[in-house]
């Protein structure tokens, strides 16, 4: 099977090439450009395309792929909101994805954000580089015996709950379903979680119902001096209300790996752009806010799992096997 791989980064190539030794029937050609109607014509002669969250897998692209005889889209990510599934179905194009790759990668990043924001590592790092070893502005709190509130206890939320438990925290959670593996967690209502937690970490998917879950109303219900971490989706938090809360000194610290302004080009190097009017830039102006670049998933183990599952999906398709990863 020949796969044309779009939007290749060096780390993608390395991780897929490492796996290829175990998949003798598969060949991959890597393209830097992303999948879009114009670049889809390049897939002529290939059996499959490999795409990502940033790819345009809409109607037009799928029609071009169909016209060039390509009927398999391998998404190397969990999300597929950028795929026009109706058109794919109509054209007989199958779409397979990687539903979960390393919940611990994201949970560890969430705890890192909580710790770094709490102990002001971002400030301390800069101060020490300037030869300033004073402790002013660096005081944090102990996590031990504090209350962690986990919103969403699926794969990632459960991993975060275990980490918090390991820190000696009391772990409470809110979810529409309870996770039976978390016998140390007490499930409570969202209001109770908001009012009791010293650390709130968001791990639910973004849906129509929970869009702007964290807004003026819910922020007011939180404890003063709470630490908030969001590694899920930017739309869970209403940024303007968050900024209002920061100004009102509601938060001890905030760690964000995702933010409302994230667009398809979130993984691009945008260091030469001036983001002066963006709400992300406004958030960055507060000393108790740490922001990372949607990198929660970005570990060697997670990338290995992504490449392995993507190639397994290709094999399943070739063998005509049904796959739970099909969307
Ligand atoms: P999952 O599907 O295993 O768990 C999600 C949990 O959230 C489920 O238990 C579900 O019942 C619960 N839930 C749904 N709606 C809810 C609501 N309104 N309130 C409370 N709980 C609710 O998903 P997983 O793998 O744990 O991923 C969670 C989220 O993490 C993803 O949806 C994604 O947005 C984000 N993510 C972030 C990454 C990063 O790099 N920062 C990487 C991968 C995922």
């Amino acid at each position: 099977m020949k796969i044309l791989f779009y939007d290749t980064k060096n780390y993608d190539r390395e991780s897929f090439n490492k796996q290829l030794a175990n998949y003798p029937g598969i060949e991959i050609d890597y393209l830097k450009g992303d999948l879009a109607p114009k670049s889809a014509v390049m897939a002529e002669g290939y059996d499959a395309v490999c795409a990502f969250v940033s790819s345009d897998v809409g109607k037009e692209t799928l029609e071009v792929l169909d016209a060039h005889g390509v009927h398999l889209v391998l998404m190397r990510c969990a999300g597929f909101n950028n795929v026009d599934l109706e058109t794919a179905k109509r054209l007989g194009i199958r779409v397979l994805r990687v539903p979960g790759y390393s919940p611990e990668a994201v949970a560890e990043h969430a705890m890192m954000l909580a710790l770094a924001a709490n102990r002001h590592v971002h400030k301390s790092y800069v101060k020490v580089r300037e030869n300033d070893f004073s402790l002013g502005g660096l005081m944090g709190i102990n996590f031990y015996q504090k209350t962690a509130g986990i919103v969403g206890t699926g794969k990632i939320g459960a991993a975060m709950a275990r980490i918090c438990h390991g820190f000696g925290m009391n772990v409470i959670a809110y979810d529409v379903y309870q996770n039976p593996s978390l016998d140390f967690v007490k499930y409570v209502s969202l209001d109770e979680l908001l009012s009791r937690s010293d650390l709130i970490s968001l791990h639910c998917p973004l849906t129509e119902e929970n869009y702007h879950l964290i807004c003026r109303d819910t922020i007011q219900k939180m404890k003063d001096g709470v630490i908030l971490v969001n590694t899920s989706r930017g739309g869970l938090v209403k940024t303007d209300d968050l900024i209002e809360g920061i100004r009102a000194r509601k938060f001890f610290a905030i760690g964000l790996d995702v933010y409302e302004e994230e667009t398809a080009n979130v993984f691009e190097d945008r260091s030469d752009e001036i983001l002066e009017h963006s709400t992300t830039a406004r958030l960055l102006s507060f000393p108790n806010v740490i922001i990372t670049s949607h990198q929660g998933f970005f570990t060697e183990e997670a990338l290995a799992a992504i490449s392995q599952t993507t190639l397994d999906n290709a094999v399943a398709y070739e063998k005509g096997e049904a796959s739970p990863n099909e969307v």
Side-chain angles (χ1 to χ4, degrees):
M1 170 183 284
K2 284 182 70 181
I3 301 172
L4 188 59
F5 198 105
Y6 284 88
D7 191 30
T8 312
K9 305 284 186 286
N10 286 343
Y11 51 79
D12 292 319
R13 189 194 300 256
E14 270 169 36
S15 119
F16 273 80
N17 280 351
K18 238 187 237 170
Q19 297 285 342
L20 272 183
N22 306 320
Y23 298 84
I26 298 183
E27 267 177 57
I28 302 180
D29 283 331
Y30 296 96
L31 284 182
K32 275 217 155 102
D34 209 344
L35 181 60
K38 278 194 180 145
S39 57
V41 292
M42 298 175 84
E44 168 93 44
Y46 287 87
D47 305 291
V49 292
C50 185
F52 193 50
V53 284
S54 50
S55 308
D56 171 353
V57 202
K59 182 170 179 281
E60 212 187 323
T61 302
L62 290 165
E63 283 171 351
V64 176
L65 290 175
D66 175 54
H68 289 81
V70 181
H71 291 97
L72 175 59
V73 175
L74 297 165
M75 299 298 296
R76 55 180 191 280
C77 52
F80 50 90
N81 52 304
N82 51 336
V83 184
D84 181 344
L85 288 178
E86 229 169 78
T87 304
K89 199 170 172 199
R90 174 171 58 82
L91 299 173
I93 294 178
R94 288 175 62 190
V95 180
L96 288 105
R97 68 179 181 126
V98 184
Y101 26 92
S102 178
E104 288 75 21
V106 184
E108 287 173 18
H109 194 78
M111 184 47 109
M112 181 284 298
L113 282 173
L115 289 170
N118 172 38
R119 294 304 190 96
H120 316 280
V121 173
H122 53 308
K123 280 196 254 174
S124 171
Y125 174 80
V126 172
K127 279 170 69 139
V128 171
R129 280 176 71 101
E130 297 294 324
N131 222 16
D132 175 358
F133 293 83
S134 66
L135 298 181
L138 300 183
M139 193 176 323
I141 58 157
N142 277 11
F143 280 7
Y144 179 63
Q145 289 190 339
K146 293 288 188 324
T147 298
I150 312 290
V151 180
T153 50
K155 293 179 284 297
I156 298 172
M160 181 62 171
R162 284 190 290 270
I163 292 172
C164 293
H165 185 57
F167 270 63
M169 302 183 83
N170 306 314
V171 188
I172 59 175
Y174 167 71
D175 196 317
V176 278
Y177 301 104
Q178 300 198 356
N179 184 332
S181 72
L182 300 175
D183 54 3
F184 56 89
V185 168
K186 184 168 183 292
Y187 281 91
V188 296
S189 67
L190 180 61
D191 278 1
E192 188 175 343
L193 182 143
L194 295 170
S195 65
R196 282 182 51 198
S197 302
D198 301 291
L199 163 65
I200 296 176
S201 196
L202 306 181
H203 298 288
C204 55
L206 177 62
T207 61
E208 265 174 38
E209 293 76 52
N210 65 21
Y211 177 67
H212 285 174
L213 177 78
I214 303 301
C215 59
R216 182 182 293 165
D217 176 46
T218 44
I219 290 171
Q220 274 169 358
K221 291 176 180 163
M222 293 178 190
K223 256 186 175 179
D224 287 340
V226 63
I227 296 175
L228 176 71
V229 171
N230 185 12
T231 56
S232 262
R233 283 294 178 266
L236 290 171
V237 177
K238 188 170 180 196
T239 314
D240 284 335
D241 291 3
L242 188 68
I243 289 172
E244 189 183 279
I246 299 169
R247 289 221 168 98
R249 299 182 184 271
K250 186 75 183 173
F251 298 95
F252 187 74
I254 293 174
L256 305 173
D257 190 41
V258 290
Y259 13 88
E260 283 198 279
E261 280 171 316
E262 268 184 81
T263 55
N265 62 353
V266 66
F267 295 99
E268 301 290 304
D269 178 357
R270 296 168 70 191
S271 52
D272 56 349
E273 284 178 34
I274 299 168
L275 298 170
E276 59 188 334
H277 298 302
S278 76
T279 50
T280 313
R282 280 167 68 206
L283 280 172
L284 276 171
S285 69
F286 296 102
N288 58 343
V289 177
I290 291 192
I291 301 187
T292 53
S293 52
H294 200 146
Q295 66 187 75
F297 74 101
F298 198 50
T299 65
E300 286 181 14
E301 290 80 0
L303 287 186
I306 289 170
S307 47
Q308 192 180 343
T309 306
T310 305
L311 294 171
D312 284 345
N313 287 344
V315 171
Y317 169 85
E318 211 170 28
K319 287 188 179 160
E321 289 170 358
S323 164
N325 298 341
E326 183 152 359
V327 292

